[in-house]
C-alpha cells in the first residue's frame, strides 16, 4: 500500500491542518494525542515482528519523546513527535496518517471526494512531472496531451515547488520518490466533473494550457481496512505478436480482479508469452499473489517467500492450478511497485519463472495493517518481516530487475514504451526455438 500511503502523507505535508481552538477542545485534543502516542509505542512494543526491535532501546525512546508530545501545542506538533517515534525503527510501513486527509478523500468509510481523474499517469523524473501514460478516451487524451509532456502547473500551484517541498520533507526515506508522485497525483485528482486548469510543456517544450473536466475514475471502488476508498482496476489484452498483457494497480478487490485475471490467463494458455505489468502497483493482499502465481508455476508446493511474525514463520505458497502457462513470462516493475507487487515479482524471479524488466522496486515489502488512534488519525504498522525465496530481504532493497530500463522523455515522445518493448523482444527470442521445434515436428 506504499503509493496510496505516500499520497496521503504528501497531502498532509503540503496542505497542513488547522490548529486547535477553544480551551476545552484543546484539553481534550491534548489528552487524545498523548493517548495516541502511548497506543503507538505500546503497539510496536507488543506486536513488532522483532521483539528486540533490532537492538533499539524502546523504553529510552519513549522517555525521550513522551515529554515532547505532552508539550505539543497543536495536533500537527503531536503528529510530528509520533512520526519521529515510528521513524526510529528505520522501516517502511510505519506511519501516522492525519485524520483530515481521510475527510478530504471521503473518510475511511465514505464515498470519497477523489473519484474524478484527468487520465494522466505521471512519474517524477529530474524533478519534473513527466507524463508516462494517457488513458485512451480520458479528458487528457481528448485534450491532445501525450506521453513525454511535462506538467508544470495545476491551477495556481507550481508543480516543481510542490515536488521540492515533499521531497525535502521525506528526506531519504523509503517513501521519498513515491511521495513526490503522490503529491502531483493529488493535485490532478478531485471530484467528478470538477475542472483542472493545467499548464504543460509539449514535445517541443512549448507551453500549453488545458482545462480538463474530471471523468469518473476507472475501476471499482474498494474498501480496505482504515484506508479511504480506493479505485481498483485491471486491464487485459492480447498484443500483436500473440503476447498476453495483464496490468492492474493493486492486489485488492479479489472478487473483481481475480475472475478477470483468471479469465485472461485461461485465454493466454496458447500465447507465445505473457507480460504482467506491475509498474505503479502499490501492493495489497498476499493471498492474491499466491493465486495469480499458480497460473505460472507447475512445480509442486513452490513458495514465493517467507513471512516471519512473533508467532513463527509462514511460507507464501503458490496455489496450484489444474493447467498452467508454460511459456516465457515477463514482469514489469518500477520505483512505485511496492509491497505485494514486490513479493510477486521477486518470488517469480527467484523461482526462475519470470524475467523482470524495469527499474528497482520501492523496497517496502513488509506486511502491514492500519488502525484508528484515539485522536482519529490512522496508524500503519508492519506485523511481519519478509524474506524472498532466494533468502534476500526486499525491505529497503527492493527487487532488482534482470533487465534495468528507465524510460526517457525522448522515448515517450516517440510513442515508445522501452520497458514493455524490451520484454516483448525477449519473449520473441524465447519463443523462437519452440516455434522452430514445432515446425520440425509438424513436417515429420
Amino acid at each position: 500500500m506504499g503509493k496510496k500511503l505516500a499520497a496521503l502523507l504528501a497531502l498532509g505535508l503540503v496542505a497542513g491542518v488547522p490548529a486547535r481552538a477553544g480551551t476545552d477542545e484543546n484539553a481534550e485534543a491534548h489528552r487524545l494525542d498523548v493517548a495516541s502516542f502511548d497506543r503507538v509505542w505500546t503497539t510496536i512494543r507488543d506486536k513488532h515482528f522483532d521483539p528486540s526491535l533490532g537492538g533499539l532501546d524502546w523504553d529510552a525512546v519513549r522517555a525521550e519523546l513522551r515529554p515532547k508530545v505532552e508539550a505539543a501545542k497543536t495536533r500537527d506538533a503531536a503528529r510530528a513527535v509520533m512520526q519521529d517515534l515510528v521513524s526510529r525503527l528505520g522501516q517502511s510501513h510505519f506511519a501516522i496518517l492525519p485524520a483530515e486527509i481521510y475527510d478530504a478523500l471521503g473518510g475511511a468509510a465514505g464515498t470519497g471526494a477523489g473519484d474524478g481523474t484527468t487520465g494522466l499517469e505521471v512519474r517524477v523524473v529530474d524533478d519534473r512531472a513527466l507524463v508516462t501514460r494517457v488513458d485512451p478516451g480520458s479528458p487528457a487524451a481528448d485534450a491532445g496531451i501525450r506521453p513525454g509532456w511535462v506538467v508544470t502547473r495545476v491551477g495556481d500551484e507550481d508543480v516543481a515547488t510542490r515536488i521540492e517541498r515533499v521531497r525535502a520533507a521525506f528526506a531519504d526515506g523509503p517513501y521519498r520518490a513515491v511521495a513526490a508522485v503522490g503529491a502531483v497525483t493529488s493535485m490532478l485528482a478531485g471530484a467528478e466533473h470538477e475542472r483542472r486548469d493545467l499548464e504543460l510543456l509539449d514535445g517541443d517544450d512549448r507551453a500549453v494550457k488545458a482545462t480538463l473536466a474530471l471523468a469518473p475514475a476507472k475501476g471499482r471502488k474498494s474498501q480496505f481496512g482504515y484506508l479511504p476508498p480506493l479505485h481498483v482496476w485491471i486491464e487485459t489484452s492480447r498484443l500483436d505478436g500473440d503476447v498476453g498483457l495483464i496490468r492492474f494497480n493493486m492486489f485488492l478487490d479479489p472478487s473483481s480482479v481475480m475472475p478477470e485475471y483468471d479469465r485472461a490467463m485461461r485465454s493466454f494458455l496458447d500465447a507465445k508469452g505473457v507480460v504482467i505489468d506491475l509498474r505503479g502497483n502499490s501492493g495489497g493482499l498476499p493471498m492474491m499473489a499466491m493465486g495469480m502465481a499458480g497460473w505460472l508455476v507447475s512445480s509442486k508446493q513452490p513458495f514465493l517467500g517467507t513471512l516471519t511474525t512473533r508467532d513463527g514463520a509462514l511460507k507464501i505458497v503458490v496455489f496450484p492450478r489444474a493447467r498452467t502457462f508454460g511459456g516465457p513470462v515477463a514482469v514489469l516493475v518500477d520505483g512505485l511497485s511496492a509491497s505485494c507487487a514486490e513479493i510477486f515479482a521477486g518470488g517469480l524471479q527467484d523461482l526462475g519463472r519470470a524475467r523482470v524488466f524495469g527499474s528497482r522496486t520501492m523496497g517496502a515489502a513488509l506486511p502491514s495493517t492500519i488502525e484508528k488512534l484515539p485522536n482519529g488519525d490512522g496508524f500503519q504498522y508492519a506485523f511481519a518481516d519478509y524474506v524472498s525465496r532466494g533468502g534476500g530481504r526486499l525491505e529497503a532493497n527492493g527487487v532488482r530487475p534482470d533487465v534495468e530500463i528507465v524510460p526517457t522523455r525522448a522515448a515517450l515522445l516517440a510513442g515508445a514504451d522501452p520497458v514493455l518493448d524490451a520484454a516483448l523482444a525477449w519473449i520473441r527470442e524465447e519463443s523462437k526455438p519452440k516455434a522452430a521445434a514445432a515446425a520440425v515436428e509438424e513436417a515429420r
Side-chain angles (χ1 to χ4, degrees), residues 427-438:
I427 287 174
R428 286 195 295 269
E429 287 299 316
E430 287 293 301
S431 62
K432 281 182 180 179
K434 294 183 180 180

Side-chain angles (χ1 to χ4, degrees), residues 69 72 110 178 240 250 255 264 285 309 324 346 357 375 378:
V69 79
V178 70
D240 292 341
M250 283 178 274
S255 63
L285 305 174
T309 69
T324 58
F357 295 79
N375 68 0

Side-chain angles (χ1 to χ4, degrees), residues 6-17 98 101 165-170 179:
L8 293 171
L9 293 174
L11 274 165
L13 285 166
V14 174
V17 296
I101 303 306
R165 290 173 64 186
V166 171
R167 282 189 158 175
F170 277 83

Side-chain angles (χ1 to χ4, degrees), residues 21-30:
T23 303
D24 292 340
E25 292 181 6
N26 275 343
E28 177 62 9
H30 181 266

Side-chain angles (χ1 to χ4, degrees), residues 277-294:
D277 191 346
L278 300 181
R279 290 176 291 182
N281 188 303
S282 53
L285 305 174
M287 293 283 287
M288 291 178 64
M290 296 155 75
M292 290 177 174

